[in-house]
Amino acid sequence: IQNPGDAWFWHKGHAYLKAPDLFEHYLLTVGQGSNYILNVPPDTSGSIPEYFANELAALGAALRASFGAPLAQTAGGRLRCGPETTDHVVLSVAGVAFN
């Protein structure tokens, strides 16, 4: 969550990514088959800062809203495939709102 990723340890006032940016990074990494490693360091008291926790909670809500149900369920029924072979599917994520 810390950005630009130049530090593994917490620093007061260090720039960090907000939930919409984290979501975009998620789509660009996990969506292309990579692992998404979040840098969420504890502060000097050993706790995760509240502002990090809030952004991660918003990211989690966006991920559940976007991918929390099987595609067939969100399509309102069964998905049917024809006899053709499909090597990929393109999905669009829409309607994710951040506060």
Side-chain angles (χ1 to χ4, degrees):
I1 192 168
Q2 281 195 164
N3 190 36
D6 60 354
W8 280 100
F9 300 101
W10 179 83
H11 300 284
K12 185 174 184 170
H14 197 280
Y16 64 96
L17 296 174
K18 305 289 194 276
D21 297 318
L22 292 170
F23 186 73
E24 183 68 24
H25 285 216
Y26 178 90
L27 296 177
L28 293 172
T29 56
V30 175
Q32 298 200 22
S34 295
N35 294 323
Y36 187 29
I37 300 172
L38 293 171
N39 180 16
V40 186
D43 61 19
T44 55
S45 72
S47 299
I48 300 298
E50 186 175 351
Y51 54 93
F52 282 179
N54 292 340
E55 297 303 328
L56 293 172
L59 172 63
L63 292 173
R64 283 186 296 280
S66 299
F67 308 111
L71 186 58
Q73 184 178 344
T74 60
R78 277 185 84 142
L79 293 177
R80 297 195 172 106
C81 296
E84 302 85 16
T85 300
T86 302
D87 65 354
H88 69 281
V89 176
V90 176
L91 301 175
S92 174
V93 177
V96 175
F98 293 94
N99 295 333

